[in-house]
Every structure is written in structure tokens, then in C-alpha cells.
């Protein structure tokens, strides 16, 4: 398998390096070779190429089976003409990665949630965040006097991501909650109409509910166990998934895949470049390692994916742990412990 690796900025490279060591250990233990090539992307690529998504990186994508990306961005590039985050949106658009799959799980009951344990015990939901439409991609304007972003969705954009969510629900507990703001927004009125009229009739076996996004934020705190698959537009999904990651033990644990109709898929942890801890060697690499597990599963290396996930969970239960989880271990120590378990095949 060929993996295009975009290490990114801040804790991006720190966590990606460790995740690649786990991938290599999985390859040895399960008999596959991952050919990983790094490409410039993000803030570092602005520095080296004047472009967060340089031509050489773009040209490599069609040859890759998967793209593994570390977080990008940081204060150094916050005020520049061009930002790392623009490169990320261009990458998602280039890959037509319209479905961002964000599993939110209580990976082990030993994790500490800010919520009472009985509210999150066994938590297992997946947020499907629409990723190539909405406010992020609609017409924009910034003048000295006004700033404008436009939330625009087409029937096709809503339908394909909703179908992804319904198909996924069929493999799980058979429940979809569609989140919108249809009491105010036209884009949300269309969203709900498409979900009800064009998608749900094909899935009579899936239980569909709807929730306005403001009360969804409340419900996710008060009764997160009620949810199986959540599907929502780009910006709502961005916000709700950080909230959901927090209640399941922390943002340093939350992986994701960003998928279109064909390969390569894009694999990225949901957290950012964490400028407050970058360079200290203490970032939690678990989100990136679980992201590698998602990538391996999609590349049909299921045993390897299970082994990586099991090793990461074993480490969450028995340590070592980084400071965000109350431990004193470094990123490298956690990564080495997980890689060793994967190599031994006894996670
Ligand atoms: P952030 O996710 O980087 O950090 C929020 C908080 O979570 C910080 O306190 C940070 O230390 C902590 N945190 C995040 N990941 C962690 C990990 N693996 N281990 C331990 N602690 C972790 O969010 P932010 O501060 O709002 O954003 C910082 C930068 O990252 C911004 O430039 C933003 O645009 C960018 N960003 C990039 C991505 C991406 O590339 N996918 C995602 C989100 C944010
Ligand atoms: C994420 C991030 C990105 C987003 C930013 C960095 C553009 O927050 O992947 O969740 O908003 O999609
Ligand atoms: Mn985000």
C-alpha cells in the first residue's frame, strides 16, 4: 500500500511520526508493506513553497491508496495572506472527501469524562460531518466594512452524505439523527427535506430522528447514549464533534476519516496543531494511531486494524499515558508502548 503522509505543523509531525512507527509495526506483524512518502503541506509548506498545498503534494495524491495527515496551522501563520487551513479545505475538495467519519467512543471505561460515568458508559456513536459544502465553501467576501460567508447546499450534496449515514447505521444500531437549524436557515430546510423525502424512504429499517443544532449541543451533554449515527452539515459537525470528543475522554483520542466516492481517503485526527503544547513532546498520539487503524480497515487490513486499535486501548487502560490523561509519559513513550504491543501481536 502507498501512503502519502502530510505531517503538518505543531503536534502534527510529533504525532504522525509515532503513528507511522505503529503502522510499520503492524506491517511487520501482519505481512504487508506500507510505502510511506512525506509531502509538504500546511504552514511549513507556506514557508518552503509559498503554498499550503504545493503542486508536488497535489500531484502525489492520485498515486496514493490513502493520505495520512497531521494537524496543520498555528499562530505563526494566523495573520498571513494565505493560511494553512485554506490548504486543508483545498485538499478535502481535491479528494472530493464529502463524508467526514468521526467515531466518538468511550474506548475504555477507565477514561475520565467530564460527565458522570453513567451518562457515558459504553458510549459509541459516529458523527458524519458533511465536509465539502456549506459555510466553508460558499461564496465569501471580506472588505474593510463587512465579512460574509454563505451556507449553500445542493440536493445532491445533502443526499450523498445522508445516504452514507443511513448505510452506516444499517451496520450498527440502525438509528440516524439528522442535525440542522431548519427553523431559521434555508440550507437546513433543504437538508431536512432531502433527508426525509429522498433518502429515508429507501431505509425503512433505519429509525430517523431530527434535532436542531442548538438543542443537540444540550442533548449530547445530557443523554449522549441516545445516539448511534449523527449526520450534519460541515460547520455544525465541526463544533459538535469537538464537544463529543471531550465527553468521551478528550480530543487527543478522536480519529477520523474523510471519504469520497473513490480512493484515496484522507485520514486525519480531529484535533488541531495544539500550539500550547507543540514542541514539548507531550501530545497524545492516540488519535493519530486510531486514525491509522481506521485507514488500515478501509484498506482491507482488518486484522492489523483490530490489533492497532486493541493496542491503543490496552495502553489507555494500563498506561503509559500523556499528561492530558493525567499521566507523565511523552508522545514517544506512548507510541513505543503501542508499537511494541502491535509487534508482539498480543495487545
Ligand atoms: P487544538 O485541537 O489544536 O487544541 C485545543 C486544545 O486541545 C489545546 O489545549 C491542545 O493542547 C489540546 N489538544 C489537542 N490535541 C491534543 C493531543 N493530541 N494531545 C493533547 N492535547 C491536545 O485546537 P485550537 O487550539 O483551536 O487550534 C490550533 C490550530 O490547529 C489552529 O491553527 C487550527 O486552525 C488548527 N486546527 C487544525 C486541524 C487539522 O489540521 N485537522 C484541526 C483543528 C484545528
Ligand atoms: C477540523 C478543523 C478544520 C475544520 C480547520 C483546521 C479548517 O477544525 O478538521 O475539525 O474546521 O474542518
Ligand atoms: Mn475542528
Amino acid at each position: 500500500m502507498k501512503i502519502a503522509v502530510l505531517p503538518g505543523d505543531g503536534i502534527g509531525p510529533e504525532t504522525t511520526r509515532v503513528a507511522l512507527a505503529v503502522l510499520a509495526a503492524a506491517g511487520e506483524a501482519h505481512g504487508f508493506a506500507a510505502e510511506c512518502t512525506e509531502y509538504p503541506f500546511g504552514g511549513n509548506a507556506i514557508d518552503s513553497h509559498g503554498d499550503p498545498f504545493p503542486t508536488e503534494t497535489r500531484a502525489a495524491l492520485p498515486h496514493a491508496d490513502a493520505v495520512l495527515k497531521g494537524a496543520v496551522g498555528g499562530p505563526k501563520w494566523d495573520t498571513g495572506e494565505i493560511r494553512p487551513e485554506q490548504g486543508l479545505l483545498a485538499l478535502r475538495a481535491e479528494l472530493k472527501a464529502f463524508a467526514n467519519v468521526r467515531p466518538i467512543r468511550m474506548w475504555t471505561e477507565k477514561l475520565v469524562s467530564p460527565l458522570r460515568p453513567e451518562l457515558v458508559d459504553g458510549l459509541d456513536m459516529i458523527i458524519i460531518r458533511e465536509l465539502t459544502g456549506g459555510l466553508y465553501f460558499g461564496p465569501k467576501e471580506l472588505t474593510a466594512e463587512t465579512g460574509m460567508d454563505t451556507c449553500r447546499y445542493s440536493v445532491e450534496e445533502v443526499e450523498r452524505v445522508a445516504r452514507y449515514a443511513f448505510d452506516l447505521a444499517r451496520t450498527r444500531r440502525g438509528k440516524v439523527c439528522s442535525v440542522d437549524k431548519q427553523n431559521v436557515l434555508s440550507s437546513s430546510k433543504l437538508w431536512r427535506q432531502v433527508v426525509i423525502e429522498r433518502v429515508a424512504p429507501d431505509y425503512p429499517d433505519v429509525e430517523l430522528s431530527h434535532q436542531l443544532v442548538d438543542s443537540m449541543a444540550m442533548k449530547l451533554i445530557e443523554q449522549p447514549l441516545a445516539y448511534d449515527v449523527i449526520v450534519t452539515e460541515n460547520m455544525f459537525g465541526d463544533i459538535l464533534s469537538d464537544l463529543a470528543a471531550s465527553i468521551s475522554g478528550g480530543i487527543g483520542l478522536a480519529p477520523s476519516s474523510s471519504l469520497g466516492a473513490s480512493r484515496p481517503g484522507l485520514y486525519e485526527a480531529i484535533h488541531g496543531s495544539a500550539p500550547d503544547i507543540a514542541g514539548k513532546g507531550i501530545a497524545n498520539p492516540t488519535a493519530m494511531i486510531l486514525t491509522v487503524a481506521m485507514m488500515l480497515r478501509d484498506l482491507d487490513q482488518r486484522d492489523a486494524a483490530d490489533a492497532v486499535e486493541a493496542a491503543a486501548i490496552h495502553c489507555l487502560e494500563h498506561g503509559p499515558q500523556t499528561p492530558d490523561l493525567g499521566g507523565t509519559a511523552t508522545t514517544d513513550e506512548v507510541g513505543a508502548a503501542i508499537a511494541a504491543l502491535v509487534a508482539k501481536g498480543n495487545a
Side-chain angles (χ1 to χ4, degrees), residues 7-237:
D9 310 311
I11 66 165
E14 300 172 29
T15 53
T16 303
R17 190 181 60 235
V18 159
L20 288 179
V22 173
L23 176 62
E28 276 196 25
H30 294 270
F32 65 88
E35 194 186 311
C36 299
T37 313
E38 293 190 8
Y39 297 94
F41 186 73
N44 63 82
I46 295 178
D47 293 349
S48 60
H49 292 68
D51 181 355
F53 186 20
T55 315
E56 65 167 283
T57 305
R58 194 181 293 262
L61 301 179
H63 308 289
D65 297 307
V67 181
L68 183 66
K69 184 202 126 279
V72 297
K76 181 175 177 193
W77 304 283
D78 274 354
T79 51
E81 185 99 318
I82 181 151
R83 294 187 52 130
E85 291 84 352
Q86 288 167 255
L88 176 51
L89 301 196
L91 171 65
R92 290 169 176 170
E94 176 85 11
L95 294 174
K96 300 185 172 59
F98 64 83
N100 183 207
V101 182
R102 297 190 154 185
I104 301 293
R105 266 173 62 185
M106 210 60 198
W107 297 98
T108 149
E109 59 194 26
K110 295 214 167 141
L111 286 168
V112 179
S113 167
L115 301 185
R116 293 195 304 281
E118 67 268 25
L119 291 179
V120 288
D121 270 357
L123 181 67
D124 177 6
M125 67 169 98
I126 300 190
I127 297 178
I128 303 299
R129 169 191 176 195
E130 202 291 326
L131 201 60
T132 51
L135 277 177
Y136 282 63
F137 290 92
K140 291 176 182 294
E141 191 182 271
L142 180 60
T143 69
E145 300 301 324
T146 57
M148 182 195 79
D149 302 281
T150 318
C151 191
R152 181 194 167 279
Y153 270 105
S154 68
V155 169
E156 189 208 345
E157 284 173 319
V158 179
E159 184 170 343
R160 66 187 178 182
V161 75
R163 284 192 184 277
Y164 188 94
F166 277 78
D167 285 335
L168 180 66
R170 272 191 170 154
T171 68
R172 295 169 48 87
R173 301 194 299 280
K175 292 201 292 182
V176 169
C177 179
S178 171
V179 176
D180 60 39
K181 185 75 183 173
Q182 71 102 34
N183 51 347
V184 178
L185 303 176
S186 300
S187 52
S188 280
K189 289 189 174 78
L190 182 91
W191 181 282
R192 195 176 289 209
Q193 195 184 336
V194 170
V195 169
I196 291 175
E197 292 175 10
R198 295 180 72 108
V199 181
D202 290 340
Y203 299 84
D205 50 321
V206 173
E207 182 189 322
L208 171 64
S209 61
H210 304 273
Q211 195 72 43
L212 297 172
V213 64
D214 47 352
S215 53
M216 188 65 185
M218 179 190 83
K219 295 265 186 192
L220 278 176
I221 296 290
E222 293 186 351
Q223 42 173 291
L225 295 177
Y227 299 98
D228 179 15
V229 176
I230 293 166
V231 63
T232 190
E233 70 91 40
N234 203 340
M235 176 68 111
F236 298 161

